[in-house]
Amino acid sequence: MALGSVMLAGSSLVWAPAGQATTGEEGSVGCIGHSESRYDPPLTLLARPTHVHADITYTCGAHGHTVPATGSFNSDVPAASCVAVSGGSGTESVRYADGGTSLIVYDSATTLRVAGVLVVIQRGRVSEGRGHGHPVQRTITGLPRELPTECLTSGLHGGGNEVQLEIEP
């Protein structure tokens, strides 16, 4: 059911007319994209404190058309491994191609595995810039895959996931 909700929300962003999502202060911002994450130290089977950095490329609905954007996410996770991640705090800086920015602070997360698909839903607020003060939800989905052999040896250095970002009105 949770995966169905995520997929429905994602398809709404993709198929809704771009004019329904704006980057103005009074409206919402809806973005979809792809992230490439790096873990320091690399993830292994043993959970340990880890710094997570992700670079994200987005396409956002804005003023009747789409606007490219980039995001940079950072988090210090208290316990992360190849099989589990705890904590949900972090910050994301979003830069829109039209020159606007949003600094987002995430303070909670829910992690689910549905039919092998990893779904992480983070919640927070825009602390500076476009959408200041508005609530934010970021949904990260990862397709099922085998446990990488790097988890047993040198550790997993990074990975890619699909991301949906919603700055709510």
Side-chain angles (χ1 to χ4, degrees):
M1 182 168 178
L3 180 59
S5 298
V6 168
M7 298 305 282
L8 179 60
S11 65
S12 297
L13 276 177
V14 173
W15 297 112
Q20 290 182 1
T22 67
T23 56
E25 294 298 319
E26 73 288 342
S28 62
V29 176
C31 305
I32 56 172
H34 180 80
S35 72
E36 287 295 328
S37 300
R38 292 185 303 278
Y39 313 116
D40 183 25
L43 300 181
T44 63
L45 293 177
L46 177 63
R48 59 188 171 181
T50 304
H51 178 77
V52 178
H53 174 82
D55 293 311
I56 308 109
T57 55
Y58 288 117
T59 300
C60 302
H63 306 293
H65 63 283
T66 58
V67 174
T70 58
S72 179
F73 173 82
N74 287 285
S75 178
D76 289 309
V77 180
S81 72
C82 283
V83 293
V85 175
S86 68
S89 63
T91 59
E92 181 177 9
S93 176
V94 180
R95 294 192 175 281
Y96 306 95
D98 65 5
T101 62
S102 297
L103 180 62
I104 302 166
V105 176
Y106 297 101
D107 54 18
S108 70
T110 303
T111 303
L112 309 163
R113 266 203 199 273
V114 181
V117 176
L118 175 67
V119 179
V120 178
I121 301 170
Q122 294 177 300
R123 291 183 179 82
R125 289 207 168 279
V126 177
S127 63
E128 294 177 25
R130 184 173 288 161
H132 181 260
H134 289 249
V136 175
Q137 179 172 299
R138 183 169 98 130
T139 305
I140 303 123
T141 55
L143 296 176
R145 53 186 167 201
E146 297 296 319
L147 188 63
T149 57
E150 292 92 352
C151 290
L152 302 172
T153 58
S154 62
L156 183 63
H157 293 268
N161 293 299
E162 301 310 306
V163 181
Q164 175 183 319
L165 175 69
E166 298 172 77
I167 300 175
E168 300 166 0

